[in-house]
Amino acid sequence: MGVEYKVNRLRATGNIRPLVDKHWGDLRAAKERGEKVAWASGPSFMFPYSMGMKCHFMAGYASYAGGIGAADELLRLAETTGDLPETCSYHRLHMGLVEAIKKGVPIKEQAILPLPDLLIAGRYCTEQSHYSESFYRRMGLRIAPLELPFVFNKEDRPRIREFVYRQIVENVIPNLEDVCEKPFDYDRLSEILSVLKKTATLRNECWKFLATKPATWTLWDYAVSMAPVIYMMGDPAGIPFYEDLLKELKERHEKGIPALAPEGEKYRIYWDGWIPWAFLGKFMRKFTPHGAVCLCGRYPWEMFPHPELIDPEHPLDTVVDWVYGEETGLACHMAPKGSIEMIGELIEEYSIDGLVMFSSKSCRMWNQSHLDQIDALDKKYGIPGVVIEADMIDPEMVQDSQIDTRLQALFETIDGRRRR
Amino acid sequence: MEKALSKIVEVTSDPYAYVAGLKDRTQKKIIGCFPMYVPEEIVHAAGLIPVVIWRGNESVTWGHAHVPAYDCGITRSFVDDAVRGKLSFMDGMVFHVRQCLQVGEFPLIMERNVKPAYQKILYLPPIYKGDSIKSFLLGDLESFKGSLEDFTGKKISDDNLKESIEIYNENRSLLERVYEIRREKPEILRAREVMQIVWSSMLMLKEDHNELLRELINGMEKKSVEPKKDRIKVIPVGCLCQTLQFDILDIIEDLGMIIPDDDLYVGSRYFANKVNPNGDPIEALADRYLVKTPLCPTKGVWDIDWGVEVIKQMKENDAKGIISIRVKYCPPHTCYYPDFKSKMVEEGVPEVMIEMEHEIISLEGVKTRLQSFVETIGGV
């Protein structure tokens, strides 16, 4: 008889929902309070925050909408007005949102956002610019664009860093100053980064409990806890949240309570790509019966993985170096070649048995050269991997049988190699 | 004219054999430039032969071990060709990785499986305001030039660049002339022939192509054709990056429509805008890239409306409708298309969208859509 695995749920992660609801609720009511509102894509939302603006974050909002079950209606709404189903689902979701705002179509209340006074169009993924361009054409919204290239060759990094820094100074900051009618508040950016530094430091302590064998918590637990180190950046509420989470993880560890009952995981899995926000429960149920836990991934490790490098005294440099710095430079890990290096580090740090590359059918940002990445990593670390095809929020793109078959194949391959 | 056309058909019927033969004949290295914006002039000035990478006409097989089925046709076809060794005559490859996400697939796949002697990544930025854009673009082009110098071991002088710019500008002028004559006498060439003429420019040495075009133009100028007044003029738009299946062009014509002009990549977009022959050549190449029209959804331009531009082109050509050719899984075009369509509806312009896949199972669906379209705009 096989082991019956069950998730030991954490108490502390249950505290995140009220925090993120409050975050989006504050944004929703910002205009009523006479506050300025921005929307941002890519790592650029901290600039409007520094000006005291309330700001949406494209991927953050899409994940929130997915999490609260609002994605499907927004996606279908976009399609009824001409958006094509193969378009990036985050893009389509926003098109649906704007359509709902424009025409007063009733949607889930929590998903409604006010239209922005300024769009910071961070073009991290090349497709991110399309949504802001479309908003300009449909609504005439003001745009401050920011090109944020992935770094394909490390030798290109210094000049790309300089380019991005210049764009922020030349374009993003003047637009914000113009909209807010005041000088850019570097001190506020420093304060935000100080809070972030404390939060991310605590978060890193929590990460250590993903490396324990058996694991004390899972990637899915961390995924739902990411907001304080990303779009809730600077909100002091993130500090007690992570303090509480860390306390619970320490207690669990001391008592020998693993993430998976009864005695911990059989397979330790690396997860590449977006988190399937609208289907977290579904995916958890696909891994748990096999005794598999997902523990780490490139995307969730994007959020200031090195808090020791956050320097509130040099706020602009810190923000730019987060993406383009020599030591952390996450834009280097976005390109397939750099990703192999980073995934390799995670494989070793978290004692990974297998790789699951989550290939989003509508967003190729994390999908580039997935099959070659698996091959390269298998050759170097002897770890098998599979690609599963689905989407972050669009249920039309998620087919159980394909995912189940590939996961089954992965677990069988790991078993086969263990028997050698 | 027939001789020139027959050469063009030969080149485009088997581009693999032609380019491989070109390499043998000239003893020059071939650099594959992934469409759409690699400045070929710099490659040419380095004494190498730039060819624009194309979509093959075979089903993807080995390529699917490297890229997903939901990448666009040229992405999958190019990877397939490359890993099967069909492009072994290419000594180098250049990719503009900020054009769309799918181009980002290539560098690692090529490096691991094809190992070209030369590979260069360009970041050519979108056309945003601010000095930093042009300055970064110039840096990119200088880095490109430097990498080619390292590859060949020879300096590229400003004179080399100016000479190449002159040859490329001449090619653009000659292609413009072909299009002018087609506008005057749309019946003079089949649409597939026009596409082959532009495509051959992407594959041949520009000097050879210029010669061929001169011969072709001479014949076109002399040839008189019987105007078919019942034909309905339409403008095909889109098909970014790649050739479209010639059969689709044939169907358009067989249904009683005629194409006096186009807004296709393997069409008027390829030769639009000349490079300033005076001044600093790298800056002149950067300036050409920074021209916002013909509008391309990969270049981050939002203050000019693609729909407005195309309607203008349609009116200038006295055409009655627009046929959008959207490549399946082309995110830049797909994201733009709803706004483009809205503009057509707003302006009362008849428009139909044809979705083009690499592996066409049946053209019946395309034919039905086009048939309905031509009937709607009052055709045969």
Side-chain angles (χ1 to χ4, degrees):
Chain A
M1 201 117 147
V3 181
E4 197 176 321
Y5 293 97
K6 209 176 153 199
V7 175
N8 280 322
R9 292 192 183 278
L10 283 166
R11 171 196 49 79
T13 50
N15 297 329
I16 196 72
R17 181 66 187 265
L19 296 180
V20 293
D21 282 344
K22 181 177 180 306
H23 174 87
W24 294 104
D26 279 351
L27 171 56
R28 198 161 49 249
K31 288 261 170 143
E32 291 158 27
R33 294 191 300 267
E35 291 173 313
K36 298 270 186 196
V37 167
W39 287 9
S41 58
S44 59
F45 48 84
M46 64 290 288
F47 301 119
Y49 286 172
S50 307
M51 297 297 272
M53 296 174 91
K54 289 285 179 287
C55 185
H56 130 297
F57 167 49
M58 187 195 191
Y61 169 73
S63 63
Y64 180 64
I68 61 171
D72 200 28
E73 62 179 350
L74 291 170
L75 292 169
R76 304 291 88 87
L77 181 58
E79 286 167 29
T80 59
T81 53
D83 282 283
L84 298 162
E86 69 185 68
T87 319
C88 163
S89 54
Y90 283 6
H91 172 103
R92 222 170 342 125
L93 179 102
H94 281 83
M95 294 301 125
L97 173 64
V98 166
E99 203 56 36
I101 296 170
K102 241 166 71 176
K103 296 187 178 155
V105 179
I107 56 168
K108 201 180 244 285
E109 199 194 329
Q110 281 171 292
I112 298 170
L113 293 182
L115 286 174
D117 300 290
L118 181 67
L119 265 162
I120 313 276
R123 189 176 182 257
Y124 194 42
C125 146
T126 50
E127 288 169 34
Q128 279 171 335
S129 66
H130 300 319
Y131 102 118
S132 42
E133 291 158 19
S134 193
F135 289 157
Y136 176 84
R137 290 190 292 269
R138 295 181 192 192
M139 314 284 282
L141 298 178
R142 179 172 178 166
I143 304 178
L146 174 63
E147 167 71 340
L148 297 159
F150 300 165
V151 179
F152 279 74
N153 285 323
K154 279 191 175 168
E155 60 267 26
D156 297 325
R157 189 198 53 76
R159 74 184 180 92
I160 295 177
R161 185 200 181 278
E162 188 201 337
F163 168 51
V164 171
Y165 192 101
R166 273 188 69 184
Q167 287 180 86
I168 293 167
V169 174
E170 270 179 13
N171 205 1
V172 176
I173 289 177
N175 262 294
L176 282 163
E177 289 177 332
D178 192 37
V179 168
C180 297
E181 296 172 323
K182 62 179 183 182
F184 186 74
D185 194 341
Y186 288 93
D187 291 340
R188 177 65 193 134
L189 182 56
S190 294
E191 285 166 18
I192 289 168
L193 292 174
S194 296
V195 173
L196 173 69
K197 186 168 179 133
K198 285 179 194 153
T199 317
T201 303
L202 284 163
R203 185 274 323 271
N204 279 21
E205 287 298 307
C206 295
W207 274 355
K208 289 178 183 167
F209 293 95
L210 289 165
T212 57
K213 289 175 91 170
T216 312
W217 61 319
T218 74
L219 178 70
W220 310 125
D221 297 319
Y222 170 51
V224 298
S225 310
M226 283 194 320
V229 282
I230 185 75
Y231 62 75
M232 278 175 60
M233 189 179 288
D235 185 339
I239 297 173
F241 170 79
Y242 269 108
E243 281 171 342
D244 186 39
L245 177 60
L246 181 59
K247 187 169 161 245
E248 187 181 3
L249 292 172
K250 280 180 177 168
E251 281 169 7
R252 265 194 176 198
H253 188 61
E254 279 161 15
K255 290 177 185 166
I257 301 171
L260 277 195
E263 290 178 345
E265 69 277 0
K266 187 177 175 191
Y267 308 107
R268 298 171 66 86
I269 303 298
Y270 166 87
W271 175 274
D272 200 74
W274 289 115
I275 299 296
W277 296 110
F279 320 106
L280 283 177
K282 178 194 266 284
F283 275 91
M284 208 183 284
R285 286 189 292 276
K286 289 189 182 302
F287 283 90
T288 306
H290 297 279
V293 285
C294 295
L295 294 171
C296 55
R298 263 191 302 162
Y299 165 60
W301 261 245
E302 260 197 335
M303 324 313 172
F304 289 91
H306 294 282
E308 71 278 9
L309 297 175
I310 297 174
D311 180 3
E313 297 294 311
H314 299 93
L316 214 50
D317 287 291
T318 290
V319 172
V320 176
D321 283 339
W322 168 36
V323 189
Y324 295 103
E326 191 173 354
E327 292 174 78
T328 55
L330 62 93
C332 296
H333 304 138
M334 293 301 301
K337 198 171 166 183
S339 73
I340 291 175
E341 198 178 300
M342 183 185 179
I343 298 169
E345 286 167 13
L346 291 172
I347 285 172
E348 292 190 324
E349 195 174 345
Y350 294 92
S351 314
I352 293 298
D353 300 314
L355 314 169
V356 171
M357 315 308 254
F358 177 75
S359 180
S360 163
K361 286 186 189 173
S362 77
C363 168
R364 295 159 184 83
M365 179 158 145
W366 296 94
N367 301 1
Q368 296 173 342
S369 313
H370 256 161
L371 292 157
D372 276 74
Q373 287 170 357
I374 290 175
D375 187 48
L377 290 160
D378 194 1
K379 284 193 169 87
K380 187 164 181 191
Y381 298 96
I383 290 172
V386 287
V387 174
I388 57 173
E389 296 163 3
D391 195 72
M392 306 81 83
I393 53 172
D394 189 347
E396 300 287 318
M397 297 190 183
V398 184
Q399 274 110 30
D400 288 306
S401 54
Q402 174 255 127
I403 297 165
D404 293 342
T405 308
R406 291 186 191 176
L407 289 181
Q408 184 73 42
L410 175 68
F411 301 138
E412 285 173 11
T413 309
I414 296 171
D415 288 343
R417 291 191 185 185
R418 281 176 177 169
R419 281 196 295 269
R420 275 183 204 162
Chain B
M1 177 179 165
E2 295 312 318
K3 200 174 139 208
L5 271 179
S6 135
K7 177 70 184 170
I8 282 162
V9 170
E10 181 201 320
V11 170
T12 53
S13 297
D14 189 352
Y16 307 88
Y18 178 77
V19 178
L22 178 64
K23 181 177 175 171
D24 286 346
R25 178 164 59 84
T26 58
Q27 292 297 301
K28 285 186 172 182
K29 290 192 166 81
I30 304 286
I31 305 295
C33 304
F34 196 82
M36 302 177 280
Y37 296 112
V38 175
E40 295 168 59
E41 290 91 334
I42 301 179
V43 181
H44 185 271
L48 306 164
I49 302 180
V51 296
V52 178
I53 288 167
W54 60 90
R55 183 178 61 79
N57 58 5
E58 290 181 7
S59 295
V60 176
T61 54
W62 293 11
H64 280 154
H66 301 274
V67 283
Y70 38 89
D71 274 357
C72 75
I74 192 169
T75 298
R76 292 183 297 120
S77 164
F78 164 59
V79 168
D80 193 59
D81 279 350
V83 299
R84 286 165 65 202
K86 285 186 76 183
L87 303 177
S88 54
F89 49 79
M90 283 187 189
D91 301 283
M93 294 174 179
V94 189
F95 305 115
H96 168 207
V97 290
R98 295 301 286 169
Q99 177 171 296
C100 74
L101 283 173
Q102 291 173 52
V103 180
E105 299 262 25
F106 303 140
L108 181 69
I109 295 173
M110 296 304 136
E111 203 174 305
R112 295 188 75 237
N113 305 283
V114 183
K115 302 180 176 61
Y118 170 83
Q119 180 168 294
K120 179 66 183 169
I121 283 155
L122 298 181
Y123 296 91
L124 314 177
I127 311 177
Y128 295 158
K129 271 186 195 163
D131 296 341
S132 53
I133 292 289
K134 185 161 177 186
S135 149
F136 181 69
L137 174 58
L138 287 171
D140 224 24
L141 298 184
E142 287 292 354
S143 156
F144 185 27
K145 180 176 158 233
S147 72
L148 287 165
E149 287 172 338
D150 290 345
F151 179 58
T152 59
K154 282 191 300 193
K155 279 274 166 208
I156 302 171
S157 68
D158 279 3
D159 285 344
N160 295 146
L161 280 166
K162 284 183 175 180
E163 202 178 304
S164 298
I165 286 169
E166 195 182 325
I167 292 165
Y168 273 70
N169 275 348
E170 187 184 3
N171 192 254
R172 292 181 183 112
S173 298
L174 292 165
L175 285 168
E176 266 174 22
R177 181 63 191 138
V178 170
Y179 268 59
E180 268 172 25
I181 302 171
R182 178 170 71 157
R183 272 194 289 274
E184 291 158 15
K185 304 183 264 192
E187 297 82 2
I188 196 161
L189 293 167
R190 296 289 306 241
R192 68 154 62 206
E193 290 171 328
V194 176
M195 181 162 277
Q196 283 170 309
I197 291 166
V198 179
W199 187 15
S200 59
S201 168
M202 298 172 170
L203 302 169
M204 294 175 70
L205 255 182
K206 281 289 185 286
E207 295 89 327
D208 293 351
H209 198 253
N210 287 347
E211 206 177 306
L212 201 60
L213 285 178
R214 280 191 285 270
E215 188 188 327
L216 178 75
I217 289 166
N218 189 32
M220 285 175 75
E221 284 170 340
K222 285 178 189 157
K223 189 173 176 178
S224 58
V225 290
E226 186 70 29
K228 292 176 184 162
K229 294 208 184 300
D230 57 337
R231 297 272 152 159
I232 296 166
K233 290 181 181 170
V234 291
I235 307 290
V237 176
C239 206
L240 306 176
C241 279
Q242 49 198 289
T243 51
L244 62 89
Q245 276 95 347
F246 297 147
D247 291 341
I248 294 176
L249 294 170
D250 290 347
I251 291 173
I252 292 172
E253 291 176 326
D254 294 346
L255 287 169
M257 293 176 271
I258 195 155
I259 298 169
D261 199 354
D262 64 54
D263 185 35
L264 302 170
Y265 171 63
V266 188
S268 67
R269 302 174 77 88
Y270 177 65
F271 58 86
N273 305 319
K274 293 194 186 63
V275 181
N276 181 359
N278 306 312
D280 180 82
I282 290 290
E283 188 160 2
L285 289 165
D287 287 339
R288 177 178 184 253
Y289 173 81
L290 292 172
V291 177
K292 291 182 174 179
T293 54
L295 189 128
C296 180
T298 66
K299 280 186 164 183
V301 174
W302 64 80
D303 52 352
I304 295 175
D305 192 300
W306 194 6
V308 171
E309 291 293 302
V310 167
I311 292 170
K312 200 161 64 183
Q313 188 183 17
M314 185 191 82
K315 288 181 176 164
E316 281 164 7
N317 284 283
D318 196 24
K320 282 193 175 171
I322 304 294
I323 299 177
S324 292
I325 317 276
R326 188 182 66 82
V327 172
K328 180 89 177 155
Y329 303 122
C330 171
H333 195 174
T334 303
C335 289
Y336 205 119
Y337 181 73
D339 292 345
F340 183 89
K341 178 76 186 175
S342 297
K343 182 56 72 181
M344 296 299 130
V345 172
E346 196 182 307
E347 300 295 324
V349 171
E351 186 264 359
V352 67
M353 189 262 280
I354 300 297
E355 187 176 85
M356 198 194 84
E357 296 192 55
H358 177 63
E359 291 97 350
I360 288 192
I361 297 161
S362 164
L363 282 166
E364 281 309 305
V366 172
K367 192 172 178 180
T368 307
R369 281 180 75 79
L370 289 171
Q371 205 155 16
S372 309
F373 180 64
V374 76
E375 283 165 11
T376 309
I377 58 176
V380 290

